Amino acid sequence: MPRSDRLFDLIQLLRDGRLHRAEDLGRALGVSVRTIWRDMGVLAASGLAVEGERGVGYVLRQPITLPPMMLQASEMLALRAGLRLVAEGGGELAGAARSLAGKLAGLTPGPREEGEDIFATRPEAGAARGPQLPLIRKAIRLREVLTVALLEEGRLTERDIRPLALLLEGSWVLAAWVEGQGFAALGLDLVLEVVPRGETFPRETGRRLADWRKWREEAAALPPRT
């Protein structure tokens, strides 16, 4: 059996998310345990979320497959724009965005003209957001209070915030609860510095992301100021 076919069959066996011993995998595929060890190394090197070790077993964590689909031209543009923004941001998700773009590049048509590549980004934009996005993502995940330096109407101010979510609305927007002020939608182009406070915040009714979304909808429904 060609190695490519064997690797495909190996992935199918691992898709159930259970722990599989190398001996059992080898028996199912008709190969030696040593061959399974080598194949697992190949799968792990390719980026597949395979965990385990010799003598214990192997498991495929959170395998994700997408069914065949057709994308409209506008949907493809949105996908490219989203991947570009994430790649510009730096941190752990930037590498994932580039990896995903590489997988999609072999399956979907895309611009080939110079300057139209999916990652033809503006260096200064990526540099500005690079140090901030990983810190903000981590703070959202851990529910950690941040002190942010903001440029508001030409003035530099500092605010203690509870970061709730990062949203793409043409550019990055940070959904946040600002201590002593209330909800805010902070454009990251106005955020000059982010400093973790080393303290966490609880989930409180009235200060959650769902409450922020309700606040945003109500604010959008208000008549413009004159």
Side-chain angles (χ1 to χ4, degrees):
M1 178 188 296
R3 169 179 268 194
S4 58
D5 293 343
R6 188 174 67 249
L7 291 176
F8 177 83
D9 290 342
L10 188 54
I11 292 172
Q12 302 313 305
L13 292 173
L14 293 169
R15 285 185 63 183
D16 60 7
R18 299 177 181 175
L19 184 68
H20 293 266
R21 297 189 309 158
E23 292 84 351
D24 297 333
L25 293 171
R27 189 179 303 111
L29 298 176
V31 297
S32 67
V33 170
R34 190 175 297 275
T35 297
I36 294 297
W37 292 344
R38 287 196 295 264
D39 287 349
M40 285 301 178
V42 171
L43 292 179
S46 70
L48 210 62
V50 175
E51 297 180 8
E53 58 183 273
R54 299 179 183 182
V56 178
Y58 297 91
V59 62
L60 180 60
R61 299 292 186 189
Q62 299 179 342
I64 299 173
T65 58
L66 296 178
M69 66 179 68
M70 295 185 64
L71 298 180
Q72 299 178 359
S74 58
E75 293 171 333
M76 192 62 198
L77 286 174
L79 178 60
R80 290 173 61 83
L83 286 173
R84 178 180 290 114
L85 282 171
V86 175
E88 285 181 344
E92 57 196 45
L93 290 185
R98 293 181 182 277
S99 175
L100 176 57
K103 294 175 181 178
L104 293 174
L107 303 174
T108 57
R112 293 292 183 266
E113 295 81 3
E114 184 177 357
E116 287 296 321
D117 182 76
I118 191 167
F119 293 123
T121 59
R122 299 183 303 279
E124 66 276 10
R129 285 194 290 263
Q132 299 172 4
L133 284 177
L135 284 175
I136 293 173
R137 290 193 184 104
K138 180 181 178 182
I140 292 170
R141 185 172 68 253
L142 300 179
R143 298 201 307 274
E144 186 174 18
V145 178
L146 296 174
T147 297
V148 295
L150 299 168
L151 189 64
E152 297 180 307
E153 299 180 353
R155 294 181 297 107
L156 182 63
T157 61
E158 285 191 354
R159 296 284 187 270
D160 291 337
I161 69 167
R162 301 183 180 191
L164 303 175
L166 274 171
L167 308 171
L168 280 173
E169 299 180 354
S171 59
W172 287 109
V173 172
L174 174 59
W177 172 269
V178 182
E179 301 295 349
Q181 179 177 324
F183 286 124
L186 306 176
L188 286 199
D189 55 334
L190 301 179
V191 177
L192 303 182
E193 188 176 7
V194 176
V195 180
R197 289 287 304 274
E199 59 185 82
T200 59
F201 59 88
R203 290 191 176 96
E204 293 183 284
T205 301
R207 299 185 180 185
R208 300 168 302 180
L209 180 59
D211 302 309
W212 182 91
R213 294 187 187 279
K214 183 178 180 181
W215 164 81
R216 191 76 180 276
E217 291 173 359
E218 293 174 348
L222 292 176
R225 296 180 180 178
T226 57

